[in-house]
Amino acid sequence: MSRDPAYDILFEPVKIGPVTARNRFYQVPHCNGMGYRDPSALAGMRGVKAEGGWAVVCTEQVELHYSSEITPFIELRLWDDRDIPALAGMADRIHEHGSLAGIELAYNGMNGPNLYSREVPMGPAPLPVATFTYDPVQARRMDKTDIANVRRWHRDAVLRARRAGFDLIYVYAAHALGFLHHFLSRRYNDRTDEYGGSLENRIRLLREVVQDTKDAVGDTCAVPVRISVDELIGEGGLYKEEVEDMIGLMADLPDLWDVTIAGWENDSQTSRFAEEGFSEPFINGIKRLTSKPVVGVGRYTSVDRMASLVRKGVLDLIGAARPSIADPFLPKKLEEGRIEDIRECIGCNICVSGDFTQSPIRCTQNPTMGEEWRKGWHPERIAAKTSDKPVLIVGAGPAGLEAARALGRRGYPVMLAEARRELGGRVALESRLPGLAAWIRVKDYREQQLHQLPNVELFLDSPLTADDIMGFGIPRVVLATGATWRRDGVGHLHTRAIPIEDDAEVLSAGDIMAGRLPTGKHVLVWDDDHYYMGGVIAELLAGKGYRVTYATPASEASTWTRNTMEQFFIQKRMLEKGIAIRGFLALNAVRPGEATMACMFTGREERLEADATVLVTSRLPNDELLTALNARAADWADSGLESVTAIGDALAPATIAHATYAGHRFARELDEAPHDGDSLPFRREVTELLKA
Ligand code: ADP
Ligand code: SF4
C-alpha cells in the first residue's frame, strides 16, 4: 500500500537553514528520565523514532554547564568533552535512518538549585529558584561578566554539540526553564540595564546568543529558537502580543521558530484538560512574522488535522513529543497507507512521570517505549512464535488485549475470552468518567489490530470458570482478570479494614463506575489512592448535583498527579465545581450519616456529616481463577494444561501503563527460557570508574 495523496503535503521536504528535513514530522525535544544515566537506552529510543520516519529527532534539554544543572532531574549533559561520546551515539542512531539530529542546549539558570554542583544559581534577578519543588535556594543577579561567561559557555557547548554530530543546535528560551526565558519575561527580569525593561532590551541576550551560535556553526548546522508565546499569567509575564513583537524583531535571525506555551505543564496538558490542538490559538499567526519555518505541538494524532495545519499556513513542521512516544512509527505508517495502525496517544502523561520520578520513560500505549535498548524491544517487530501451542487469555482489559495483540503478531493461536459484552476492561469503564474519553484508545487500537489477526479469536460475554478452563485443554492460560476496588478503606494509610457500621452507605470507586449512585445529598469521597480516581469521582458526583466533600491524608487532591503535571488543574477544577477539599485527614470510621475523620498530625477527631461515603483507596486482584486453578494443579496434566500466569492488575494492581507492559512482556517472553530471577532481565549501563 502507499499513502493517500491527501497527505502528500506532510511528506514534502523542509529546508531548515543549511539542512533539510526529509518530511514535516518533527520530534521536538522531550524529557525521558534516562538522560546521562542511560545514554545507550536513550540513543536506542531516539534511533527508533528516526527509523519510524520522524525527519527531525531531538534530544531533551541538555545541561550545557556545571553551574546550571537540575538535579534531581536526569537530563543529558554536555559539560565538557567527555560528554561528547554519549551524545554522538545518539546522533549516530538518528543519522542511521536518514533523519536530522537536534540538540536542545539549556542553561537553566534560576531554574536549577544546583544541588549537585553546589554552585550559586544565576538569573536576571535575585529571586528564589523557579523549581517545581520550592527549593530553599535563591539565584543571584547576573552581572556583565556573568553574561559574558554564560555566552562563552553556550558557545563552547555549541561547538561540542557540532562535534557530536548534531544538525540542529537549539537556543532554548522557552517554558520558563532557562536563563533566556527568564531574561525575556518581566515576571523574572526587573533589570534596569540594557538587558531589562523594554522589549528590545529583554530580547538582547537571546539575540546575542543566537548570533553567537550562528557564528560558531557557520553553515554547518541549523539554529532553531524555542520560545514560549504565553505564560498564561497576563501582562505580568510573557503574553502572545508581546512575544509576537519579539519574534518580529528577530524574524529571520534563527533558522526555525519552535513555538510553545509556558510552563511545561501548560504546554503538555493532558487530554483530561485540553483537546488535541489546544495550543493552536497561540501558534496561529506566528508564520506571518518570519520567512523561516515554524514548528509547534498540540498533541496532534489526527493526520487530517496535521495536513490542514500545513495547508492553512499555521505550521511548516508538525511537532510531536507524546504522539511520537505513543507511536514512533506514525510517519512511516502514514506513508505506507496504514493509517489505521497508528497507535494514538491518549494524553495521560505517564511518559512525563518518568522525568518527574527520575525513572526511564514509559508509555501507556507503547509498552516498548524506553525498552528499545534495555530489552531489545522494537515497537513494530517481534520474534515469531517458537511453538504452535495455543494460548487462552482470560480478560480483555489493557493487559489481556496487549498480550493477545503481541502474541497474535508472533503467530500463536490465541483465544481471548472476556466476561463482559465489551472489550477494554478498566479502560472501557474509566473512559466514561469525566475527561477520560480519550483513554478508550487503549482498547480501540488493540481491537483494531486484533481484527487483522486471523489467529486470534475473541469471545465476548464469556465469563470463564476454572471448570471451563480445565475443560478446554488449552496448554497455556493467561489470567488478565483485573482487580476490584476495595470497600473496606484499606489503602496507603490504613493497611487494615476500617470500622464501618452495617447500615452506613459506603460505595467503592467500582460501584460508581458500575453506575451505582449514593442515595443522599452530601457525599464524602475519601481518597487514599492519590492518583486520578478520587478526584475524578468527586468531579462526577459534583456534576450530578451532589454536595461533595473530598478528603485525603495528603496535603492536596490527587497528589501523585504532580508527576503527570495535572495536580494544579485537577484541584482547580474541583474547587470550581464547588467540591470542598480537606487535606491531612484520616478516615477512622463510618457510621450511618457520618464519618469520623482525624487530623493526620494531632489525631484530633471530628465528625463529618455525610449521607454516603465513597472509598477510593486501593484494589484487590481478581485472583479467584488463579486460586481455583492452582488448587487443581494435580489435574493439569490430564487436562493438557501446562501453565497458568496472572498478569497486570490480576497479579498486582497498578496503572494502565503497567498493564499494557505486563501483557506485552508476557507475549515477548513466551517460550523463552524461564528467567531465573537471579540475573538482570535487562541491559544496564554502568558508570566506568576513574582510576584516580
Ligand atoms: P488489566 O488492567 O490488568 O488489563 P482490567 O480490569 O482492565 O485488568 O480487565 C480485566 C478484564 O477481565 C475485565 O474486562 C473483566 O470483565 C475480565 N474478566 C474478569 N474475570 C473474568 C473471567 N472469569 N472470565 C472472563 N473475563 C473475566
Ligand atoms: Fe501519550 Fe500517555 Fe503515552 Fe504519554 S504515556 S505518549 S501521554 S499515551
Side-chain angles (χ1 to χ4, degrees), residues 392 394 464-474 476-479 481 625-626 629 632 639 641 643-644:
L392 169 68
V394 187
L464 299 189
T465 62
D467 278 346
D468 296 332
I469 294 169
M470 296 291 285
F472 290 150
I474 298 173
R476 274 86 77 96
V477 173
V478 180
L479 301 177
T481 46
L625 273 184
L626 182 67
L629 288 169
R632 294 169 64 173
S639 311
L641 186 57
S643 67
V644 176

mmCIF file with all atom_site columns, all heavy atoms in Angstrom, residues 392 394 464-474 476-479 481 625-626 629 632 639 641 643-644:
data_model
loop_
_atom_site.group_PDB
_atom_site.id
_atom_site.type_symbol
_atom_site.label_atom_id
_atom_site.label_alt_id
_atom_site.label_comp_id
_atom_site.label_asym_id
_atom_site.label_entity_id
_atom_site.label_seq_id
_atom_site.pdbx_PDB_ins_code
_atom_site.Cartn_x
_atom_site.Cartn_y
_atom_site.Cartn_z
_atom_site.occupancy
_atom_site.B_iso_or_equiv
_atom_site.pdbx_formal_charge
_atom_site.auth_seq_id
_atom_site.auth_comp_id
_atom_site.auth_asym_id
_atom_site.auth_atom_id
_atom_site.pdbx_PDB_model_num
ATOM 1   N N   . LEU A 1 392 ? -4.739  -19.342 25.909 1.00 0.00 ? 392 LEU A N   1
ATOM 2   C CA  . LEU A 1 392 ? -6.042  -18.787 26.290 1.00 0.00 ? 392 LEU A CA  1
ATOM 3   C C   . LEU A 1 392 ? -5.790  -17.600 27.213 1.00 0.00 ? 392 LEU A C   1
ATOM 4   O O   . LEU A 1 392 ? -5.106  -17.737 28.231 1.00 0.00 ? 392 LEU A O   1
ATOM 5   C CB  . LEU A 1 392 ? -6.873  -19.849 27.033 1.00 0.00 ? 392 LEU A CB  1
ATOM 6   C CG  . LEU A 1 392 ? -8.142  -19.322 27.723 1.00 0.00 ? 392 LEU A CG  1
ATOM 7   C CD1 . LEU A 1 392 ? -9.183  -18.855 26.700 1.00 0.00 ? 392 LEU A CD1 1
ATOM 8   C CD2 . LEU A 1 392 ? -8.749  -20.400 28.633 1.00 0.00 ? 392 LEU A CD2 1
ATOM 9   N N   . VAL A 1 394 ? -7.665  -14.862 29.585 1.00 0.00 ? 394 VAL A N   1
ATOM 10  C CA  . VAL A 1 394 ? -8.942  -14.585 30.234 1.00 0.00 ? 394 VAL A CA  1
ATOM 11  C C   . VAL A 1 394 ? -8.936  -13.125 30.676 1.00 0.00 ? 394 VAL A C   1
ATOM 12  O O   . VAL A 1 394 ? -8.136  -12.733 31.530 1.00 0.00 ? 394 VAL A O   1
ATOM 13  C CB  . VAL A 1 394 ? -9.156  -15.507 31.458 1.00 0.00 ? 394 VAL A CB  1
ATOM 14  C CG1 . VAL A 1 394 ? -10.572 -15.313 32.008 1.00 0.00 ? 394 VAL A CG1 1
ATOM 15  C CG2 . VAL A 1 394 ? -8.916  -16.946 31.092 1.00 0.00 ? 394 VAL A CG2 1
ATOM 16  N N   . LEU A 1 464 ? -15.450 -17.031 32.303 1.00 0.00 ? 464 LEU A N   1
ATOM 17  C CA  . LEU A 1 464 ? -14.944 -18.398 32.398 1.00 0.00 ? 464 LEU A CA  1
ATOM 18  C C   . LEU A 1 464 ? -14.751 -18.814 33.852 1.00 0.00 ? 464 LEU A C   1
ATOM 19  O O   . LEU A 1 464 ? -14.349 -18.006 34.695 1.00 0.00 ? 464 LEU A O   1
ATOM 20  C CB  . LEU A 1 464 ? -13.606 -18.517 31.657 1.00 0.00 ? 464 LEU A CB  1
ATOM 21  C CG  . LEU A 1 464 ? -13.612 -18.224 30.156 1.00 0.00 ? 464 LEU A CG  1
ATOM 22  C CD1 . LEU A 1 464 ? -12.252 -18.597 29.551 1.00 0.00 ? 464 LEU A CD1 1
ATOM 23  C CD2 . LEU A 1 464 ? -14.721 -18.987 29.432 1.00 0.00 ? 464 LEU A CD2 1
ATOM 24  N N   . THR A 1 465 ? -15.018 -20.083 34.111 1.00 0.00 ? 465 THR A N   1
ATOM 25  C CA  . THR A 1 465 ? -14.752 -20.648 35.428 1.00 0.00 ? 465 THR A CA  1
ATOM 26  C C   . THR A 1 465 ? -13.533 -21.566 35.311 1.00 0.00 ? 465 THR A C   1
ATOM 27  O O   . THR A 1 465 ? -13.089 -21.896 34.201 1.00 0.00 ? 465 THR A O   1
ATOM 28  C CB  . THR A 1 465 ? -15.949 -21.493 35.903 1.00 0.00 ? 465 THR A CB  1
ATOM 29  O OG1 . THR A 1 465 ? -16.109 -22.578 34.976 1.00 0.00 ? 465 THR A OG1 1
ATOM 30  C CG2 . THR A 1 465 ? -17.229 -20.666 35.937 1.00 0.00 ? 465 THR A CG2 1
ATOM 31  N N   . ALA A 1 466 ? -13.048 -21.999 36.467 1.00 0.00 ? 466 ALA A N   1
ATOM 32  C CA  . ALA A 1 466 ? -11.917 -22.937 36.452 1.00 0.00 ? 466 ALA A CA  1
ATOM 33  C C   . ALA A 1 466 ? -12.319 -24.209 35.713 1.00 0.00 ? 466 ALA A C   1
ATOM 34  O O   . ALA A 1 466 ? -11.517 -24.784 34.964 1.00 0.00 ? 466 ALA A O   1
ATOM 35  C CB  . ALA A 1 466 ? -11.475 -23.232 37.882 1.00 0.00 ? 466 ALA A CB  1
ATOM 36  N N   . ASP A 1 467 ? -13.552 -24.642 35.894 1.00 0.00 ? 467 ASP A N   1
ATOM 37  C CA  . ASP A 1 467 ? -14.019 -25.844 35.187 1.00 0.00 ? 467 ASP A CA  1
ATOM 38  C C   . ASP A 1 467 ? -13.950 -25.651 33.683 1.00 0.00 ? 467 ASP A C   1
ATOM 39  O O   . ASP A 1 467 ? -13.492 -26.529 32.948 1.00 0.00 ? 467 ASP A O   1
ATOM 40  C CB  . ASP A 1 467 ? -15.484 -26.150 35.565 1.00 0.00 ? 467 ASP A CB  1
ATOM 41  C CG  . ASP A 1 467 ? -15.566 -26.907 36.875 1.00 0.00 ? 467 ASP A CG  1
ATOM 42  O OD1 . ASP A 1 467 ? -14.505 -27.411 37.306 1.00 0.00 ? 467 ASP A OD1 1
ATOM 43  O OD2 . ASP A 1 467 ? -16.663 -26.958 37.470 1.00 0.00 ? 467 ASP A OD2 1
ATOM 44  N N   . ASP A 1 468 ? -14.458 -24.491 33.230 1.00 0.00 ? 468 ASP A N   1
ATOM 45  C CA  . ASP A 1 468 ? -14.397 -24.207 31.787 1.00 0.00 ? 468 ASP A CA  1
ATOM 46  C C   . ASP A 1 468 ? -12.960 -24.352 31.293 1.00 0.00 ? 468 ASP A C   1
ATOM 47  O O   . ASP A 1 468 ? -12.689 -25.008 30.286 1.00 0.00 ? 468 ASP A O   1
ATOM 48  C CB  . ASP A 1 468 ? -14.834 -22.759 31.478 1.00 0.00 ? 468 ASP A CB  1
ATOM 49  C CG  . ASP A 1 468 ? -16.294 -22.493 31.829 1.00 0.00 ? 468 ASP A CG  1
ATOM 50  O OD1 . ASP A 1 468 ? -17.087 -23.447 31.786 1.00 0.00 ? 468 ASP A OD1 1
ATOM 51  O OD2 . ASP A 1 468 ? -16.620 -21.319 32.134 1.00 0.00 ? 468 ASP A OD2 1
ATOM 52  N N   . ILE A 1 469 ? -12.069 -23.722 32.018 1.00 0.00 ? 469 ILE A N   1
ATOM 53  C CA  . ILE A 1 469 ? -10.671 -23.666 31.561 1.00 0.00 ? 469 ILE A CA  1
ATOM 54  C C   . ILE A 1 469 ? -10.058 -25.066 31.559 1.00 0.00 ? 469 ILE A C   1
ATOM 55  O O   . ILE A 1 469 ? -9.387  -25.462 30.591 1.00 0.00 ? 469 ILE A O   1
ATOM 56  C CB  . ILE A 1 469 ? -9.870  -22.683 32.444 1.00 0.00 ? 469 ILE A CB  1
ATOM 57  C CG1 . ILE A 1 469 ? -10.395 -21.260 32.219 1.00 0.00 ? 469 ILE A CG1 1
ATOM 58  C CG2 . ILE A 1 469 ? -8.377  -22.759 32.140 1.00 0.00 ? 469 ILE A CG2 1
ATOM 59  C CD1 . ILE A 1 469 ? -9.890  -20.222 33.191 1.00 0.00 ? 469 ILE A CD1 1
ATOM 60  N N   . MET A 1 470 ? -10.327 -25.817 32.592 1.00 0.00 ? 470 MET A N   1
ATOM 61  C CA  . MET A 1 470 ? -9.785  -27.184 32.653 1.00 0.00 ? 470 MET A CA  1
ATOM 62  C C   . MET A 1 470 ? -10.350 -28.028 31.507 1.00 0.00 ? 470 MET A C   1
ATOM 63  O O   . MET A 1 470 ? -9.685  -28.933 31.001 1.00 0.00 ? 470 MET A O   1
ATOM 64  C CB  . MET A 1 470 ? -10.148 -27.846 33.989 1.00 0.00 ? 470 MET A CB  1
ATOM 65  C CG  . MET A 1 470 ? -9.548  -27.193 35.226 1.00 0.00 ? 470 MET A CG  1
ATOM 66  S SD  . MET A 1 470 ? -7.761  -27.351 35.405 1.00 0.00 ? 470 MET A SD  1
ATOM 67  C CE  . MET A 1 470 ? -7.603  -29.044 35.924 1.00 0.00 ? 470 MET A CE  1
ATOM 68  N N   . GLY A 1 471 ? -11.577 -27.704 31.116 1.00 0.00 ? 471 GLY A N   1
ATOM 69  C CA  . GLY A 1 471 ? -12.233 -28.489 30.065 1.00 0.00 ? 471 GLY A CA  1
ATOM 70  C C   . GLY A 1 471 ? -11.711 -28.179 28.664 1.00 0.00 ? 471 GLY A C   1
ATOM 71  O O   . GLY A 1 471 ? -11.825 -28.998 27.762 1.00 0.00 ? 471 GLY A O   1
ATOM 72  N N   . PHE A 1 472 ? -11.139 -27.000 28.469 1.00 0.00 ? 472 PHE A N   1
ATOM 73  C CA  . PHE A 1 472 ? -10.729 -26.600 27.109 1.00 0.00 ? 472 PHE A CA  1
ATOM 74  C C   . PHE A 1 472 ? -9.516  -27.382 26.601 1.00 0.00 ? 472 PHE A C   1
ATOM 75  O O   . PHE A 1 472 ? -9.327  -27.528 25.401 1.00 0.00 ? 472 PHE A O   1
ATOM 76  C CB  . PHE A 1 472 ? -10.376 -25.111 27.059 1.00 0.00 ? 472 PHE A CB  1
ATOM 77  C CG  . PHE A 1 472 ? -11.555 -24.198 27.209 1.00 0.00 ? 472 PHE A CG  1
ATOM 78  C CD1 . PHE A 1 472 ? -11.401 -22.946 27.784 1.00 0.00 ? 472 PHE A CD1 1
ATOM 79  C CD2 . PHE A 1 472 ? -12.815 -24.572 26.767 1.00 0.00 ? 472 PHE A CD2 1
ATOM 80  C CE1 . PHE A 1 472 ? -12.478 -22.082 27.925 1.00 0.00 ? 472 PHE A CE1 1
ATOM 81  C CE2 . PHE A 1 472 ? -13.900 -23.722 26.897 1.00 0.00 ? 472 PHE A CE2 1
ATOM 82  C CZ  . PHE A 1 472 ? -13.725 -22.472 27.486 1.00 0.00 ? 472 PHE A CZ  1
ATOM 83  N N   . GLY A 1 473 ? -8.659  -27.767 27.528 1.00 0.00 ? 473 GLY A N   1
ATOM 84  C CA  . GLY A 1 473 ? -7.440  -28.457 27.103 1.00 0.00 ? 473 GLY A CA  1
ATOM 85  C C   . GLY A 1 473 ? -6.449  -27.550 26.397 1.00 0.00 ? 473 GLY A C   1
ATOM 86  O O   . GLY A 1 473 ? -5.695  -27.986 25.534 1.00 0.00 ? 473 GLY A O   1
ATOM 87  N N   . ILE A 1 474 ? -6.474  -26.264 26.722 1.00 0.00 ? 474 ILE A N   1
ATOM 88  C CA  . ILE A 1 474 ? -5.511  -25.330 26.124 1.00 0.00 ? 474 ILE A CA  1
ATOM 89  C C   . ILE A 1 474 ? -4.283  -25.262 27.048 1.00 0.00 ? 474 ILE A C   1
ATOM 90  O O   . ILE A 1 474 ? -4.441  -25.042 28.248 1.00 0.00 ? 474 ILE A O   1
ATOM 91  C CB  . ILE A 1 474 ? -6.153  -23.939 25.960 1.00 0.00 ? 474 ILE A CB  1
ATOM 92  C CG1 . ILE A 1 474 ? -7.346  -24.064 25.001 1.00 0.00 ? 474 ILE A CG1 1
ATOM 93  C CG2 . ILE A 1 474 ? -5.136  -22.931 25.439 1.00 0.00 ? 474 ILE A CG2 1
ATOM 94  C CD1 . ILE A 1 474 ? -8.171  -22.824 24.877 1.00 0.00 ? 474 ILE A CD1 1
ATOM 95  N N   . ARG A 1 476 ? -1.647  -23.220 27.547 1.00 0.00 ? 476 ARG A N   1
ATOM 96  C CA  . ARG A 1 476 ? -1.173  -22.026 28.267 1.00 0.00 ? 476 ARG A CA  1
ATOM 97  C C   . ARG A 1 476 ? -2.336  -21.100 28.578 1.00 0.00 ? 476 ARG A C   1
ATOM 98  O O   . ARG A 1 476 ? -3.081  -20.705 27.681 1.00 0.00 ? 476 ARG A O   1
ATOM 99  C CB  . ARG A 1 476 ? -0.133  -21.262 27.454 1.00 0.00 ? 476 ARG A CB  1
ATOM 100 C CG  . ARG A 1 476 ? 1.266   -21.771 27.644 1.00 0.00 ? 476 ARG A CG  1
ATOM 101 C CD  . ARG A 1 476 ? 1.599   -22.898 26.726 1.00 0.00 ? 476 ARG A CD  1
ATOM 102 N NE  . ARG A 1 476 ? 1.873   -22.403 25.414 1.00 0.00 ? 476 ARG A NE  1
ATOM 103 C CZ  . ARG A 1 476 ? 3.123   -22.151 24.973 1.00 0.00 ? 476 ARG A CZ  1
ATOM 104 N NH1 . ARG A 1 476 ? 4.161   -22.392 25.723 1.00 0.00 ? 476 ARG A NH1 1
ATOM 105 N NH2 . ARG A 1 476 ? 3.308   -21.695 23.772 1.00 0.00 ? 476 ARG A NH2 1
ATOM 106 N N   . VAL A 1 477 ? -2.463  -20.742 29.838 1.00 0.00 ? 477 VAL A N   1
ATOM 107 C CA  . VAL A 1 477 ? -3.569  -19.883 30.256 1.00 0.00 ? 477 VAL A CA  1
ATOM 108 C C   . VAL A 1 477 ? -2.992  -18.617 30.898 1.00 0.00 ? 477 VAL A C   1
ATOM 109 O O   . VAL A 1 477 ? -2.109  -18.685 31.745 1.00 0.00 ? 477 VAL A O   1
ATOM 110 C CB  . VAL A 1 477 ? -4.487  -20.624 31.253 1.00 0.00 ? 477 VAL A CB  1
ATOM 111 C CG1 . VAL A 1 477 ? -5.531  -19.673 31.819 1.00 0.00 ? 477 VAL A CG1 1
ATOM 112 C CG2 . VAL A 1 477 ? -5.154  -21.807 30.561 1.00 0.00 ? 477 VAL A CG2 1
ATOM 113 N N   . VAL A 1 478 ? -3.486  -17.489 30.423 1.00 0.00 ? 478 VAL A N   1
ATOM 114 C CA  . VAL A 1 478 ? -3.077  -16.203 30.979 1.00 0.00 ? 478 VAL A CA  1
ATOM 115 C C   . VAL A 1 478 ? -4.283  -15.588 31.671 1.00 0.00 ? 478 VAL A C   1
ATOM 116 O O   . VAL A 1 478 ? -5.352  -15.456 31.059 1.00 0.00 ? 478 VAL A O   1
ATOM 117 C CB  . VAL A 1 478 ? -2.599  -15.244 29.857 1.00 0.00 ? 478 VAL A CB  1
ATOM 118 C CG1 . VAL A 1 478 ? -2.179  -13.908 30.440 1.00 0.00 ? 478 VAL A CG1 1
ATOM 119 C CG2 . VAL A 1 478 ? -1.476  -15.867 29.064 1.00 0.00 ? 478 VAL A CG2 1
ATOM 120 N N   . LEU A 1 479 ? -4.136  -15.236 32.925 1.00 0.00 ? 479 LEU A N   1
ATOM 121 C CA  . LEU A 1 479 ? -5.247  -14.620 33.644 1.00 0.00 ? 479 LEU A CA  1
ATOM 122 C C   . LEU A 1 479 ? -5.007  -13.115 33.716 1.00 0.00 ? 479 LEU A C   1
ATOM 123 O O   . LEU A 1 479 ? -4.093  -12.643 34.397 1.00 0.00 ? 479 LEU A O   1
ATOM 124 C CB  . LEU A 1 479 ? -5.359  -15.221 35.047 1.00 0.00 ? 479 LEU A CB  1
ATOM 125 C CG  . LEU A 1 479 ? -5.594  -16.741 35.068 1.00 0.00 ? 479 LEU A CG  1
ATOM 126 C CD1 . LEU A 1 479 ? -5.612  -17.263 36.503 1.00 0.00 ? 479 LEU A CD1 1
ATOM 127 C CD2 . LEU A 1 479 ? -6.897  -17.106 34.355 1.00 0.00 ? 479 LEU A CD2 1
ATOM 128 N N   . THR A 1 481 ? -7.461  -10.884 34.580 1.00 0.00 ? 481 THR A N   1
ATOM 129 C CA  . THR A 1 481 ? -8.832  -10.687 35.060 1.00 0.00 ? 481 THR A CA  1
ATOM 130 C C   . THR A 1 481 ? -9.020  -9.402  35.862 1.00 0.00 ? 481 THR A C   1
ATOM 131 O O   . THR A 1 481 ? -10.104 -9.158  36.393 1.00 0.00 ? 481 THR A O   1
ATOM 132 C CB  . THR A 1 481 ? -9.263  -11.894 35.908 1.00 0.00 ? 481 THR A CB  1
ATOM 133 O OG1 . THR A 1 481 ? -8.196  -12.199 36.827 1.00 0.00 ? 481 THR A OG1 1
ATOM 134 C CG2 . THR A 1 481 ? -9.515  -13.115 35.048 1.00 0.00 ? 481 THR A CG2 1
ATOM 135 N N   . LEU A 1 625 ? -9.795  -17.183 39.981 1.00 0.00 ? 625 LEU A N   1
ATOM 136 C CA  . LEU A 1 625 ? -9.482  -18.227 38.996 1.00 0.00 ? 625 LEU A CA  1
ATOM 137 C C   . LEU A 1 625 ? -8.108  -18.818 39.252 1.00 0.00 ? 625 LEU A C   1
ATOM 138 O O   . LEU A 1 625 ? -7.912  -20.035 39.163 1.00 0.00 ? 625 LEU A O   1
ATOM 139 C CB  . LEU A 1 625 ? -9.510  -17.637 37.578 1.00 0.00 ? 625 LEU A CB  1
ATOM 140 C CG  . LEU A 1 625 ? -10.844 -17.586 36.846 1.00 0.00 ? 625 LEU A CG  1
ATOM 141 C CD1 . LEU A 1 625 ? -10.626 -17.063 35.431 1.00 0.00 ? 625 LEU A CD1 1
ATOM 142 C CD2 . LEU A 1 625 ? -11.475 -18.968 36.788 1.00 0.00 ? 625 LEU A CD2 1
ATOM 143 N N   . LEU A 1 626 ? -7.175  -17.956 39.575 1.00 0.00 ? 626 LEU A N   1
ATOM 144 C CA  . LEU A 1 626 ? -5.811  -18.418 39.834 1.00 0.00 ? 626 LEU A CA  1
ATOM 145 C C   . LEU A 1 626 ? -5.805  -19.382 41.010 1.00 0.00 ? 626 LEU A C   1
ATOM 146 O O   . LEU A 1 626 ? -5.214  -20.468 40.951 1.00 0.00 ? 626 LEU A O   1
ATOM 147 C CB  . LEU A 1 626 ? -4.914  -17.206 40.132 1.00 0.00 ? 626 LEU A CB  1
ATOM 148 C CG  . LEU A 1 626 ? -3.441  -17.505 40.380 1.00 0.00 ? 626 LEU A CG  1
ATOM 149 C CD1 . LEU A 1 626 ? -2.772  -18.023 39.109 1.00 0.00 ? 626 LEU A CD1 1
ATOM 150 C CD2 . LEU A 1 626 ? -2.705  -16.254 40.882 1.00 0.00 ? 626 LEU A CD2 1
ATOM 151 N N   . LEU A 1 629 ? -7.553  -22.658 40.013 1.00 0.00 ? 629 LEU A N   1
ATOM 152 C CA  . LEU A 1 629 ? -6.755  -23.495 39.104 1.00 0.00 ? 629 LEU A CA  1
ATOM 153 C C   . LEU A 1 629 ? -5.545  -24.070 39.830 1.00 0.00 ? 629 LEU A C   1
ATOM 154 O O   . LEU A 1 629 ? -5.196  -25.250 39.645 1.00 0.00 ? 629 LEU A O   1
ATOM 155 C CB  . LEU A 1 629 ? -6.321  -22.681 37.878 1.00 0.00 ? 629 LEU A CB  1
ATOM 156 C CG  . LEU A 1 629 ? -7.452  -22.364 36.895 1.00 0.00 ? 629 LEU A CG  1
ATOM 157 C CD1 . LEU A 1 629 ? -7.007  -21.336 35.865 1.00 0.00 ? 629 LEU A CD1 1
ATOM 158 C CD2 . LEU A 1 629 ? -7.930  -23.634 36.180 1.00 0.00 ? 629 LEU A CD2 1
ATOM 159 N N   . ARG A 1 632 ? -6.115  -27.110 41.730 1.00 0.00 ? 632 ARG A N   1
ATOM 160 C CA  . ARG A 1 632 ? -6.295  -28.346 40.950 1.00 0.00 ? 632 ARG A CA  1
ATOM 161 C C   . ARG A 1 632 ? -5.050  -28.689 40.135 1.00 0.00 ? 632 ARG A C   1
ATOM 162 O O   . ARG A 1 632 ? -5.132  -29.364 39.098 1.00 0.00 ? 632 ARG A O   1
ATOM 163 C CB  . ARG A 1 632 ? -7.513  -28.177 40.035 1.00 0.00 ? 632 ARG A CB  1
ATOM 164 C CG  . ARG A 1 632 ? -8.789  -28.054 40.886 1.00 0.00 ? 632 ARG A CG  1
ATOM 165 C CD  . ARG A 1 632 ? -9.971  -27.616 40.072 1.00 0.00 ? 632 ARG A CD  1
ATOM 166 N NE  . ARG A 1 632 ? -10.313 -28.612 39.063 1.00 0.00 ? 632 ARG A NE  1
ATOM 167 C CZ  . ARG A 1 632 ? -11.400 -28.518 38.299 1.00 0.00 ? 632 ARG A CZ  1
ATOM 168 N NH1 . ARG A 1 632 ? -12.236 -27.518 38.450 1.00 0.00 ? 632 ARG A NH1 1
ATOM 169 N NH2 . ARG A 1 632 ? -11.646 -29.445 37.399 1.00 0.00 ? 632 ARG A NH2 1
ATOM 170 N N   . SER A 1 639 ? -5.691  -32.512 31.877 1.00 0.00 ? 639 SER A N   1
ATOM 171 C CA  . SER A 1 639 ? -6.474  -31.550 31.084 1.00 0.00 ? 639 SER A CA  1
ATOM 172 C C   . SER A 1 639 ? -5.637  -30.899 29.991 1.00 0.00 ? 639 SER A C   1
ATOM 173 O O   . SER A 1 639 ? -6.122  -30.007 29.299 1.00 0.00 ? 639 SER A O   1
ATOM 174 C CB  . SER A 1 639 ? -7.010  -30.434 31.975 1.00 0.00 ? 639 SER A CB  1
ATOM 175 O OG  . SER A 1 639 ? -7.612  -30.948 33.105 1.00 0.00 ? 639 SER A OG  1
ATOM 176 N N   . LEU A 1 641 ? -3.221  -28.910 30.516 1.00 0.00 ? 641 LEU A N   1
ATOM 177 C CA  . LEU A 1 641 ? -2.840  -27.556 30.967 1.00 0.00 ? 641 LEU A CA  1
ATOM 178 C C   . LEU A 1 641 ? -1.381  -27.570 31.434 1.00 0.00 ? 641 LEU A C   1
ATOM 179 O O   . LEU A 1 641 ? -0.980  -28.431 32.216 1.00 0.00 ? 641 LEU A O   1
ATOM 180 C CB  . LEU A 1 641 ? -3.784  -27.166 32.118 1.00 0.00 ? 641 LEU A CB  1
ATOM 181 C CG  . LEU A 1 641 ? -3.691  -25.770 32.681 1.00 0.00 ? 641 LEU A CG  1
ATOM 182 C CD1 . LEU A 1 641 ? -3.912  -24.734 31.588 1.00 0.00 ? 641 LEU A CD1 1
ATOM 183 C CD2 . LEU A 1 641 ? -4.761  -25.581 33.764 1.00 0.00 ? 641 LEU A CD2 1
ATOM 184 N N   . SER A 1 643 ? 0.587   -24.271 31.904 1.00 0.00 ? 643 SER A N   1
ATOM 185 C CA  . SER A 1 643 ? 0.962   -23.113 32.733 1.00 0.00 ? 643 SER A CA  1
ATOM 186 C C   . SER A 1 643 ? -0.218  -22.177 32.918 1.00 0.00 ? 643 SER A C   1
ATOM 187 O O   . SER A 1 643 ? -1.077  -22.056 32.034 1.00 0.00 ? 643 SER A O   1
ATOM 188 C CB  . SER A 1 643 ? 2.120   -22.346 32.075 1.00 0.00 ? 643 SER A CB  1
ATOM 189 O OG  . SER A 1 643 ? 1.682   -21.755 30.876 1.00 0.00 ? 643 SER A OG  1
ATOM 190 N N   . VAL A 1 644 ? -0.256  -21.541 34.073 1.00 0.00 ? 644 VAL A N   1
ATOM 191 C CA  . VAL A 1 644 ? -1.268  -20.519 34.367 1.00 0.00 ? 644 VAL A CA  1
ATOM 192 C C   . VAL A 1 644 ? -0.513  -19.313 34.900 1.00 0.00 ? 644 VAL A C   1
ATOM 193 O O   . VAL A 1 644 ? 0.240   -19.420 35.861 1.00 0.00 ? 644 VAL A O   1
ATOM 194 C CB  . VAL A 1 644 ? -2.272  -21.021 35.428 1.00 0.00 ? 644 VAL A CB  1
ATOM 195 C CG1 . VAL A 1 644 ? -3.250  -19.904 35.792 1.00 0.00 ? 644 VAL A CG1 1
ATOM 196 C CG2 . VAL A 1 644 ? -3.019  -22.251 34.929 1.00 0.00 ? 644 VAL A CG2 1
#
